[in-house]
Amino acid sequence: MDGVISWARQHGVEVVLAPEYPDQPERDPRRDFGGVVRGTPACVLQPASVADLAATLRTLAEQRQPYRLRGGGWSSGGQVIADGGAVVDLTRLDRIVSDRPDASEITVEGGATWVAVCKRLRQTGRRPLAVPDNPHMTVGGSLAIAEVGDTGSVHGTVISQVQRLTLVTPDGEIHRVASEHALFRYALGGAGLTGAIAEATIRTMVRPATLWARTLGWRDLPQFFGDAQTNCDLRLYEIFQGMLSWVEDAPVAYQLAGNFGAAHQAGEPGLYEIWPNAVTVPEGRDRLEALSAPIPWDRMRPGLVLRLPLVVGVEALGQLSDFVRSEPVLRKHVASVGILVMKPDRRFPLAPWPEGSHLAVLVVRPTFPTRDQGLSAEIVPLLRTVAQRALELGGRIGHGSIDLELEDLARLQFGSELEELRRLRAKTDPEGLCNRGIFPGLDAVD
Amino acid sequence: MIPHTPGWSWELRSDAIWTAPPEGKGAGVIRYIERARPLTRIRDVVKTFERDGRFRVVRTSTPERIITREGEYGALVTVDGLLLEAPVQRTVATVFLDDFYSLIDGLALHADHYVRVADQVRNLALNDAHWLSPLRRRRFYYVPPAGWAGVAGLLHAFWFPQDHPANASKLTVLPAFPVPPGSPSFIDDVAKDQLAFGDSFALETNSEATPIVTAGRIPGSQWDGLGTAGGKVRYRDVHILEDGRFAYPLILESPPERRDENLVLLRKVTESIESLPQVGQAVTQASQKSMDYWVE
């Protein structure tokens, strides 16, 4: 690694070494948001331009040094931690490259956060089609894991809104690609396995800042899933996301359902098409303001994101509900399970899509009061059991989820696309240096 | 009332009927409102769609005129739009009745279903039945005087020149009257009545009927009268056509200095009159005119 460090210093790329690593959890490269996996990288490289990023990756390839790409560090399973290797920190690539309201698009660097993008777009009354629920994520990071957006029910994951990409492949080449290019399709949702997303051009839309939404509740889970599918198909509510909770041990599905608008629209079409058991009055709220508040890192919430075929959604949610209620540790720490129903975008073969026209996204994020009382040895195996069961039901696991310790995870996640991924990777990263080890079974070194 | 299409769902709501193809609303859905008021141009109907903040109009086709199986007039347009940013197509038909219109609003959510939903909307519109007697006072088609502005009454239309009221000219288009069988003097009686109609006009002299026939072979007669209105000299010219079922009256009032030019306009309007359609009649290519003035 000395050669890399020396090169970085000579070429003006910021490099941070272990003694200088900050202790604040949100900046500490030895951990991620999950806090479960820990490791000390040999160095952290912080390129501040696309050219510097390309040179950095080229140098790492020449020096044959494995590394992990890191954005905001919001992963739950140590995906951004490189114990003994290098971390390429992309957060200094955070510029708004260009904003074109007339073309309904904005181009930003991969290290920009969605909060920054949304604040810029707000100046012209716009927003991206979809924004991660955690807008403090970087654009590049959320695109790499095909994060579910807040409007996922109608707009899918955040990758569906991308028009063009600047991708730096592990051989240090800069590729400016659009949808017809294989690198475009394999980078979005590709967990950084084909390189670093340096810039992204994102589709935008004119929308008022206020979300007029109400909470809908269902005791009948089959009815809920039917209604959620109806919302996808008929595009009734652009925000339609919520959680499963328990009332006297009986599962109840809640959804926040609403549309952006200057005022609440009387006679909203959604209430004619779906049949919840409970409906609250609509309230207007500034969505960006609501989401921009800092998320406390001290609450370690390693997440497990399950993406299941909708046809098994009722069964899976029922099983998950029973499992959570039957395990005291889960019962104590899992107060709710996030739910969203959406359609897959099969242009992107590496994103975790199960079979079927619709999928149910279930998110389990146990709560813990402080980071030191963390994820205990007792809860991780339970979450792995949940993940295993989801895989057996034909599901996929969200790329940023907890470490599942599955030796054949690459095969389970990528299925028939695995060989094409290996072929692409062999071209630009024959030694599998970039994000090595994230998906066991992907590279020969695994 | 639209007919029920076998296999399509049929959902009766408080304000409309919703019908969807057998595979569900995900393919498309058609909304039917039997009586919408007030009468509205179809392009203004389309504008109201954007009151739903989810929908944005991208392109609206030129309105197409249709005639229902009952012989009622209607219009049909195709609207390409975005529903929460996803491209969709709406096919919208209206059937114009006396003081209301029916609305058939088809939404296709995927390009695969655009043609199918459009065809279904057209089919439903052509078969939209209201069981109003075909023989009643009805609006009819004509080309309005160029440059004049219209004001709608219940079934009447009033047209005024741009420089009104300085120019006191006015064209009144009455609704078509059903002609009672066995009444050969009917249109003459209507014309005589109209020549002297109204408290504000005092008829002093009038001509006898002069026969006319339009290029569309609709016969009729024309009359002229001279009188006063508000103490000023006014001409009143009546053109009335009769096709065996309906009489189509037009009344023009002109100050003396404007009468000659107004008569040219009146003849053009008279020439443009179309007979009201028969039950089962289809719209002809030749009558695919702008629908701008309809329900003025």
Side-chain angles (χ1 to χ4, degrees):
Chain A
M1 197 61 75
D2 290 346
V4 173
I5 295 167
S6 171
W7 172 88
R9 285 177 171 153
Q10 285 173 16
H11 291 82
V13 172
E14 283 287 331
V15 56
V16 184
L17 302 178
E20 304 162 21
Y21 293 156
D23 287 331
Q24 302 100 307
E26 61 269 31
R27 297 180 57 212
D28 187 349
R30 293 166 292 198
R31 59 159 292 173
D32 62 1
F33 181 53
V36 182
V37 179
R38 306 280 176 135
T40 304
C43 66
V44 176
L45 303 161
Q46 297 177 320
S49 69
V50 176
D52 278 357
L53 172 62
T56 300
L57 298 197
R58 190 179 309 118
T59 301
L60 286 162
E62 289 166 358
Q63 300 285 328
R64 305 174 72 180
Q65 293 295 331
Y67 59 93
R68 295 275 175 96
L69 303 171
R70 182 181 179 110
W74 294 98
S75 62
S76 293
Q79 288 88 343
V80 298
I81 295 168
D83 191 21
V87 165
V88 179
D89 179 346
L90 300 166
T91 54
R92 293 182 70 201
L93 284 161
D94 61 353
R95 285 171 286 268
I96 305 290
V97 178
S98 65
D99 182 15
R100 291 176 296 282
D102 53 335
S104 299
E105 62 181 38
I106 187 169
T107 300
V108 301
E109 289 186 332
T113 67
W114 289 95
V115 170
V117 176
C118 289
K119 285 184 174 172
R120 174 61 176 261
L121 291 175
R122 171 164 287 196
Q123 295 170 9
T124 48
R126 292 144 67 215
R127 79 185 303 268
L129 264 63
V131 178
D133 275 331
N134 174 4
H136 301 281
M137 295 180 84
T138 60
V139 170
S142 57
L143 296 180
I145 64 167
E147 178 72 1
V148 174
D150 56 354
T151 56
S153 181
V154 294
H155 293 309
T157 67
V158 293
I159 59 177
S160 293
Q161 64 189 324
V162 179
Q163 313 277 59
R164 297 180 296 283
L165 275 185
T166 299
L167 183 75
V168 179
T169 46
D171 56 2
E173 292 298 315
I174 299 171
H175 304 265
R176 300 190 194 281
V177 292
S179 60
E180 67 279 3
H181 201 290
L183 279 176
F184 178 88
R185 291 181 284 110
Y186 281 81
L188 293 169
L193 296 171
T194 55
I197 294 172
E199 293 176 347
T201 299
I202 296 160
R203 195 175 153 201
T204 64
M205 58 183 176
V206 174
R207 275 291 182 281
T210 306
L211 174 70
W212 288 93
R214 52 172 106 231
T215 301
L216 311 178
W218 289 259
R219 285 186 177 275
D220 182 337
L221 295 184
Q223 176 69 42
F224 161 70
F225 277 110
D227 283 347
Q229 182 173 348
T230 297
N231 189 68
C232 282
D233 292 343
L234 303 190
R235 308 179 76 77
L236 300 168
Y237 293 109
E238 51 198 322
I239 301 283
F240 195 83
Q241 58 175 185
M243 61 185 183
L244 178 85
S245 188
W246 292 269
V247 177
E248 295 173 350
D249 271 349
V252 179
Y254 295 100
Q255 294 280 289
L256 181 72
N259 290 303
F260 293 96
H264 175 249
Q265 180 190 350
E268 64 198 60
L271 290 186
Y272 288 91
E273 301 291 350
I274 57 181
W275 300 91
N277 302 114
V279 179
T280 65
V281 296
E283 293 179 21
R285 196 171 181 198
D286 187 314
R287 178 76 175 168
L288 180 59
E289 286 294 321
L291 292 178
S292 295
I295 293 178
W297 272 65
D298 282 356
R299 289 192 180 173
M300 292 198 304
R301 297 194 303 157
L304 174 61
V305 179
L306 312 174
R307 298 186 179 190
L308 292 143
L310 189 59
V311 290
V312 302
V314 174
E315 181 186 350
L317 197 56
Q319 287 187 19
L320 179 59
S321 175
D322 292 345
F323 189 60
V324 169
R325 305 314 282 170
S326 66
E327 291 288 343
V329 176
L330 291 179
R331 191 183 177 100
K332 180 178 177 185
H333 293 294
V334 178
S336 63
V337 173
I339 319 174
L340 185 138
V341 171
M342 63 188 295
K343 293 181 181 178
D345 187 341
R346 299 202 183 278
R347 291 179 298 164
F348 306 107
L350 299 186
W353 310 127
E355 294 299 312
S357 62
H358 297 72
L359 60 130
V361 180
L362 308 182
V363 184
V364 187
R365 291 193 188 279
T367 54
F368 289 86
T370 72
R371 88 177 182 216
D372 292 331
Q373 290 180 343
L375 211 47
S376 57
E378 53 186 347
I379 200 164
V380 172
L382 295 173
L383 294 180
R384 288 181 182 140
T385 301
V386 171
Q388 185 63 47
R389 186 71 190 114
L391 289 166
E392 289 166 7
L393 286 170
R396 295 282 191 274
I397 308 300
H399 287 337
S401 294
I402 60 162
D403 179 11
L404 299 179
E405 292 190 339
L406 291 171
E407 290 182 358
D408 57 348
L409 183 62
R411 182 186 59 78
L412 292 169
Q413 286 288 89
F414 301 130
S416 61
E417 294 295 337
L418 182 56
E419 287 312 310
E420 179 60 15
L421 172 60
R422 283 176 172 152
R423 197 184 63 75
L424 276 175
R425 207 161 148 83
K427 277 186 182 173
T428 61
D429 189 14
E431 296 192 53
L433 301 172
C434 182
N435 279 356
R436 174 183 286 180
I438 287 180
F439 289 93
L442 171 61
D443 297 314
V445 291
D446 295 328
Chain B
M1 175 56 66
I2 52 172
H4 176 229
T5 305
W8 285 56
S9 65
W10 186 265
E11 189 182 335
L12 185 60
R13 294 187 183 171
S14 59
D15 62 340
I17 289 167
W18 292 64
T19 177
E23 60 268 43
K25 291 175 183 168
V29 64
I30 295 173
R31 178 174 62 114
Y32 174 69
I33 297 175
E34 185 175 330
R35 296 191 178 207
R37 292 186 171 88
L39 277 173
T40 307
R41 292 184 178 119
I42 195 164
R43 65 184 180 193
D44 290 333
V45 172
V46 170
K47 284 179 189 167
T48 66
F49 292 164
E50 289 193 337
R51 288 180 191 161
D52 180 347
R54 299 173 307 145
F55 185 75
R56 189 148 48 93
V57 174
V58 174
R59 190 191 69 85
T60 304
S61 71
T62 303
E64 174 191 345
R65 217 166 100 183
I66 59 172
I67 296 173
T68 71
R69 305 272 182 242
E70 287 189 328
E72 303 291 353
Y73 283 122
L76 188 142
V77 291
T78 303
V79 182
D80 292 312
L82 296 174
L83 181 64
L84 291 178
E85 304 305 312
V88 296
Q89 189 176 79
R90 289 171 93 153
T91 304
V92 185
T94 50
V95 177
F96 301 114
L97 288 312
D98 295 341
D99 61 340
F100 64 93
Y101 65 97
S102 66
L103 172 68
I104 303 159
D105 172 18
L107 170 67
L109 289 154
H110 300 285
D112 295 349
H113 300 291
Y114 286 179
V115 172
R116 180 184 183 199
V117 170
D119 287 348
Q120 180 71 350
V121 168
R122 179 183 295 275
N123 180 53
L124 293 176
L126 294 178
N127 289 286
D128 185 20
H130 293 267
W131 296 283
L132 304 180
S133 166
L135 293 179
R136 66 187 197 279
R137 292 193 309 156
R138 294 172 62 181
R139 294 184 201 83
F140 58 91
Y141 264 106
Y142 57 90
V143 177
W148 289 34
V151 176
L154 174 60
L155 295 172
H156 293 55
F158 305 96
W159 296 92
F160 300 92
Q162 294 287 356
D163 52 350
H164 186 86
N167 175 355
S169 305
K170 180 173 86 169
L171 173 66
T172 303
V173 181
L174 277 66
F177 294 90
V179 176
S183 55
S185 64
F186 179 74
I187 64 168
D188 290 345
D189 295 340
V190 170
K192 285 177 187 170
D193 182 46
Q194 291 298 327
L195 271 174
F197 188 80
D199 295 337
S200 61
F201 180 73
L203 180 68
E204 293 174 358
T205 64
N206 65 273
S207 69
E208 287 302 308
T210 305
I212 55 175
V213 61
T214 67
R217 298 185 178 281
I218 309 175
S221 59
Q222 62 184 40
W223 304 65
D224 60 75
L226 180 63
T228 56
K232 295 182 177 172
V233 175
R234 290 285 182 272
Y235 282 92
R236 182 173 276 191
D237 291 279
V238 176
H239 284 192
I240 181 162
L241 303 182
E242 193 241 294
D243 62 5
R245 295 186 307 135
F246 286 94
Y248 305 88
L250 308 175
I251 297 112
L252 173 69
E253 288 181 23
S254 310
E257 69 277 13
R258 299 285 188 164
R259 186 178 179 232
D260 288 346
E261 63 186 279
N262 285 353
L263 279 175
V264 174
L265 291 176
L266 178 62
R267 286 189 198 106
K268 284 187 178 173
V269 176
T270 304
E271 275 295 324
S272 71
I273 290 174
E274 292 182 20
S275 283
L276 279 163
Q278 307 264 11
V279 174
Q281 179 181 328
V283 69
T284 63
Q285 196 66 31
S287 65
Q288 295 278 8
K289 298 191 183 94
S290 163
M291 305 189 60
D292 285 356
Y293 81 95
W294 187 247
V295 303
E296 286 279 10

